[in-house]
Amino acid sequence: MAAIKDYADFLEVHSVLLAATGIPESLYLKLFQKLSTETFDGGDYFQVEPCEGGRQRRLVLTAEGMGKESDVFLVDHAWTFRLPDAPKQLEEVPGLAERMAALMCVDSELNVDPEESTHDVSENGTTFSIEEILESEIRKGKEKGDDVVRWLELEDIGLDDEALLSLDLPSKFPNLVALSLCGNNIKNVETVFEGISRFKNLRALWLNDNPVAQNGQVVIDRIVQEFPKLEIFNSRFTIKYGEWALGFCGDIYGKDNPGPIQQTEHALRSVTGLDLSKRSIHNLINKVCYVIYYYFLTILFSQIHAMSGDVRNLAFSPMEMPHLSYLNLRGNPLDNNSVYDLMEILKRFPSLNSLEVDIPGPLGESAVEILESLPNLLLLNGVKASEIFETEKHIVDSMLQPRLPEWTPQESLVDRVLNAMWLYLMSYRLADEEKIDETSVWYVMDELGSALRHSDMPNFQVSPFLYMPEGNLPSAVSFSILWPTQGVQKGDECTRDFLFGIGEDKQRSARLTAWFHTPKNYFIKVYERHLQKLQAKHPVSPPVQSRQASSLIHGYSKHLCVYTDNPQVEEWLTRPEFVTTSNPKEADIIWTSVQIDEDMRKAVGITDEQYINQFPYEACLVMKHHLAETIQQAYGSPQWLQPTYDLEKHLAQLIGDYFVRQRDNADNLWILKPWNMARTIDTTVTSNLSAVIRLMETGPKICQKYIEHPALFRGKKFDLRYIVLVRSMNPLEIFLHDAFWARLANNSYSLDSHSLYDYETHFTVMNYRGTLNHMNTPDFIREFEEEHQVKWLDIHQRVRAMIRSVFEGAAAVHPEMHSPKSRAMYGLDVMLDSAFRPKLLEVTYCPDCGRACKYDTESLFGDGRVVKASDFFNDVRPLWSEQIQDPNPVQSSRTCIRSLEHSLDSLQCFTLFELKNFRTRKNSQLQISPSTSSINSSSIVSPPSIPSTIPLWVPLFSAFARCPSPQNLISLQNLSQTFRRTLDMQLQRGLFRAWNSGGVCVRFDSLDSCSGYLDGKVTPNVAFEVIRRFHSPDWALKFFEFSRVRLSLIHSLGSYNYMIRSLCEMGLHEAAYWVLECMRSDGHSPDSYLTGFLVGSFAEAGELEAVRRFLRDNVDGANSFVYNKVLSILVRKNRIDEALSFFRECMASQSCLDTCTFNILIQGLCRASQMDTAYRLYEAMDDFHCFPDIITYNSLIDGFCRSNEVEKAHDLSRKVLLRDDVLPDVVTYTSVISGYCKMGDMEAASFLFTEMTTSGIKPTIITLNILIDGFGKVGDMASALAMFEKMLFLGFTPDVVTYSSVIDGYCRHGHVDEGLKFWQEMNRRNVHPNKYTFAILINALCKENRLEEACVFLVQLKQRNVAPQPFMFNPVIDGFCKSGKVDEANSIVSEMERMQCKPDKITFTILIIGHCVKGRMLEAISIYNRMLMVRCAPDTITMNSFVSCLLKAGMASEALQIKKQAAVDSINHCIASSRTNHASQQNVGIPVAV
């Protein structure tokens, strides 16, 4: 097609691509306009900010607001590459590594240890001695009116053993309760005891970061023994912990209140929150292990401590902490308590509604089960209980920490980027009408796109897009497109879903491990269960009977016609018995590289009498994931197969294995291989877990433990290609070729991180890339034996045994492979480890035999005859001919499908298979080998007892099935009837496990063949077990329909629940509704949980009418929870009008209203700024007998404040105070205080703050920061500082917002030097400034014309990992221009660009006007042209000012030209960011721009 000229052309060329992106059609036109003009206007709407201490960035909306699907933005690709080229590009492309390092926040040192004083320093900088510190503590105690010092901190003062003894602390502070000696140089355990052993009331001792602490358990045991009352040691609880330790964690006791020496009764009654995380607690119910005993005591004795003798025993109890609402138990083993005991004690805390605990952990492995046991919980690990029930997630955690890049100062930028890039990469694959690209293209979005962080509830969506301006793929340029999927407000973080479209059915939670620190315990437990299952497998040992090989094709009266599409077969199969034909219908033998299935048979006309060079179901060998599954089913985890995981099913197990190896400091190098691609395409070696998970995005893969220590040849890696002929799977007949072929890597083997990207170091297949260095096999063996001093014959025997095991395992696990008309040749790739043990790499169907047909070799074993290359395909004659000249038989004898030791489930599968095969062939004419004698009924013994000797039935069935004489037929029928009766009971428990695992029933041509036998024997419980184990809802639905229709089975409620949920989760809502109708017809009614799930799923899918219909038909199952769920979804999707309509139509008539219903609607209306409607809804609550709670009031108050109706918000807060059933909380007051601060009414804000604190409500740091900022903005710095001091008094640590607010207050009113003092204080306290802190100071210094000082702050931006922004540089540039120093201004712009910060519209305007004022008009025009070149459109002010300057300078023609150009170039949106020059970044071999 010709170049794109208009919107219609754009749609015609890109229609498929547009549909694939998911972008709404309403944005197509905007996208076209921006693409055709290369408009990058994201900078006008968004801002990139550092977070996570500068180790990550986030994207924030700076525009006033943005509606759902209201705009679309172009995002450039900063780096595009194919994976093997990554290191080379980073090393060779100028500036690429530096830009990527800055974008990924790995361009500075990870840990910078500033020089810190080892002594305490006063406010004026004076260093205190140890004696002065002690005197100070005594003085402070007296000032508090307490002559006794009970809390002493001697931290980081260089205290050593000698100094500690000289202090004689027990004499000076005999009543000490807590002592901290952290960060000193105490080395000797005996010194500790001698120096502090006389403290008899010591409750807490901290020796962290002292050399003595490295002595571990020895020190702990001695310390606990020496101090009878010690409850905390080195931040961990001792076995004596009790009231004081719990009070310390509950903020009751601390430095300001060390607590009494003797414990008091009910001291913990005021505790509402208790953080016990990482306290090494083994026994939570301290010394009282039985809850019954606890309640017996509480009932009988009002003074428990008096009766038990130790109040600590019951310190953690509902009676001691009746108001406990929040409890954090993370990181504690709690191994001395059972799950039952823990649940019993926790459920008796009447106010406990929020719990944090490891899952899996001491309370079990399921979040759902924990919530069911603790029904009062509203939050579990920060996630709402209702959400957990809704999603049925068993592992939940709202506190997943981001996986940040880690590096050492010695690592180069290239290594840092290669490690960190997996947190940022995205990919796509190119395709045209003819083919799809074999390898994926990876890319990194620019700074704006890469700042988008993950959210499960994102407000933006990103998709790659190829724009083809010339209408064809070679002209394509790659972008990412970004658009809002939710309404976003100014200041909101902009997020995307890193796993868009991927649900739990595709292992979403596990895949999040690529970006987040997910619970290691969970994955380790999954891996351990997987490992136990593999280790429980017993190797297959099939019984072997010798026999002569039988004829498969009789006589040679005619030639055998061979049809082949394999050029090698056509050229080299030259024996006179074979002739080739081009017509497959005429062929006796079909030798093809194409898979022949039923469709192919029908299309080509292949009959059942023709021989084919492939076996049915041979995918169990030739596809890598099936090969691993087959071997694991047969042998578990044999030594010759590296640990292998199918990432599509076993990602969690792989992650657990990775974590175990990481914990044990074991090697963690893995290789990822596509399921079914050859020549090492898309194969990667890596030790990066994020890389392993992210590489799943390029197609299904296995992940296999890399053989990090292989046997080497001349210092290089190699593998071996063996050729195996398979003539029969039952009996198993396989032949091993007399020669093998060694494949050598070209480079010396290395595990250097860069070498992992080097194909010729880690891979050996050089037929298609690299240089092929062929070596004759006898030469290879001779040199190898000399190099390693081994005998190759020993290695060969191990390889031969392994190959035999592979095919025996396949025959045992997949008996359906057998076909009398199938023959096959397979290539087996084998590697040796450093102990010369063989490792199976893969099995290849129709292998490339190019070298076998090109190079002569020698027979390795036997007479050493020459093996002619030209005779290679003639040597495969045993597959077809009558006379067998055995080349090297691995096994040429009958083999049973299963060994006698296998499980009952396997035997059931075997028996049915044998009986069916017997029925199908009993009337056929079969050639029986002369060596196979007929077995008559007289040889049958009485049936053995069941089930202990049930495996002994197998040889009986096997013998009769293989010898189908009339006499044996009668014997087999009698025997099978007896055996069936014994298996009836076993069948109900085991048969459908065989179905689920790919057993006989689903292999039959028709289910009719087994329905008669199953009728009446398949119970609802058995059916449920089968249904729930299917990975595919389609298979489950087929079995459901079969069992319901053909077996007349009435399914259980569990089956219906599972089916409906699975289908809904897959988006198959129509099928789910059909199953629901079946459920009703079978007499089942959906309960409230299923009803809630159904309406939620349909509502999420936008099927509101279906929701209404369902609720009308299920009045009994619908309750407020169900209706609220629908409302929540509508509100979350910003469909407020539909939510209100749903409320009026359905809910008002059903009377299923509660306070939560109104809260959902009110919150949505407030977010949509529909305050009048929200308030009317609040007023109507009484009419429905619903009563507002604090959430209702807080939502309205916050909404009024956001709408600048602060007085209404205040009036509403007054109403809260007048109610008896609702009390205002910190959120209530903070919202109104914030509103008054924005108005500048600090008197009203201060009054509210006083009212809040006097009423006993503790402010948060957010409250205090709002007040400090408000005082600063009105210039009342005395009050701002007073609030700052109050913050310290209340125990809060000032953060960057606090300091920035104070600095801003000073700078706003001309006190820059005071602001600088707080800057220094901020640095001294190691509080990292952000971009606003810098902007405040730079702007203030420039206003006072202190430009050189402002420049110093610009230099510090990079040192502090703060992303530079134009608004930081513009005041400095403006200051120099106004001072007439335009050259200095130009230098600042150059520095700005070197720091990867692009000038914006204001920057260019300042420069243009500055140069005009200095009379440098030509330079001003040049700057203006540059502004246009980088697509930064000037606004009206810039244009008018510039034209006015030109006219004053007598340059009327230039002014007119600029006016004309402005008219031509007028565009709808200002463009803020420039497009990278595509030509300079072209990546060879990739038809897209980088």
Side-chain angles (χ1 to χ4, degrees), residues 534-575:
L534 292 180
Q535 291 172 343
K537 293 282 185 182
H538 298 289
V540 180
S541 300
V544 176
Q545 300 172 354
S546 62
R547 77 173 192 96
Q548 294 179 355
S550 60
S551 172
L552 298 177
I553 302 175
H554 302 287
Y556 288 96
S557 59
K558 66 181 182 71
H559 292 294
L560 294 175
C561 290
V562 179
Y563 168 80
T564 182
D565 57 4
N566 187 325
Q568 294 171 347
V569 175
E570 189 171 10
E571 181 177 359
W572 299 108
L573 184 61
T574 59
R575 292 185 69 92

Side-chain angles (χ1 to χ4, degrees), residues 117 141 161 190 363 396 442 593 958 994 1018 1095-1096 1203 1212 1226 1309 1342:
S117 173
D161 295 66
E190 298 304 324
L363 295 185
V396 296
W442 293 91
S593 58
S958 181
V1018 180
V1095 298
S1203 302
L1212 194 57
V1226 66
H1309 300 89
C1342 290

